[in-house]
Amino acid sequence: MSHNIAYSTADQADVLGFLGSKGKLTADQHRRLDGMRMDAQAHQEDLDHQRVDWGLSIPDALEHLLAGRTDSDAHCAGNAYHSALQHIIDHNASDSDHLGTYSKPATFFGLVDEEMQRLGVPTDLLPYGYLYGGLPDAFPYLPSSVDGYPAIGHLPLAKAKPAADAYRAVLDRLNPDFRYDVQELIEKLEFEHTEWEYATKNISWYTQDTLFFKLT
């Protein structure tokens, strides 16, 4: 089974504003929440059509997150909580972009990390570390998804260019099997850095600080 990796940029504070909010939201947040609930229901209907039962519905998981709880003992509660949180991220983030589709992404990026580390790329910039690193520290604990997917990773936007520069410095020494995918990652990180740098300097209301990765 193949897995897709997508990403978008957001302000962590915007996402956190919904977690544990218990209905104390601004008018704009209520508007966004309406969209989250609609998408969560549509997602659940798709799972129902596939006869996938996680023991906790995505709409219910969303309401749990809004109430500040992640304590369901359902057998696949982590799947539902990760899916619900991703809907919250999606409604507070830029348009999602596609990074790639892999049959075994954890294995692939684990090997990329080993190769890059051998070539001197700093540990905190290695791709597996942020793709599979989970949520930022300020976020609540989510139970792990069964089989590891869906999952959410993150990278501070301030690290996008340092990561891209570190990868470019070793690109010609990487195993040829990794070069295409790493080149794609470099270009996407450089683009996101350029957008972030411009917006930070020129758009007064811009506060995005994080690249969020969605693995499904």
Side-chain angles (χ1 to χ4, degrees), residues 60-82:
D60 284 348
L62 176 60
E63 298 306 320
H64 284 198
L65 294 178
L66 296 171
R69 51 177 288 219
T70 58
D71 57 356
S72 170
D73 60 0
H75 61 287
C76 292
N79 297 55
Y81 286 133
H82 276 83

Side-chain angles (χ1 to χ4, degrees), residues 3-7 43 54 78-87 89-90 105-106 128 130-135 142-154 212-216:
H3 296 283
N4 294 308
I5 303 177
Y7 64 93
H43 192 168
W54 286 340
N79 297 55
Y81 286 133
H82 276 83
S83 296
L85 181 56
Q86 188 59 57
H87 288 302
I89 293 170
D90 288 346
Y128 183 97
Y130 53 81
L131 293 175
Y132 287 90
L135 294 161
L142 295 187
S144 298
S145 298
V146 173
D147 297 327
Y149 299 92
I152 300 172
H154 79 281
F212 284 98
F213 294 89
K214 173 171 65 175
L215 299 90
T216 57

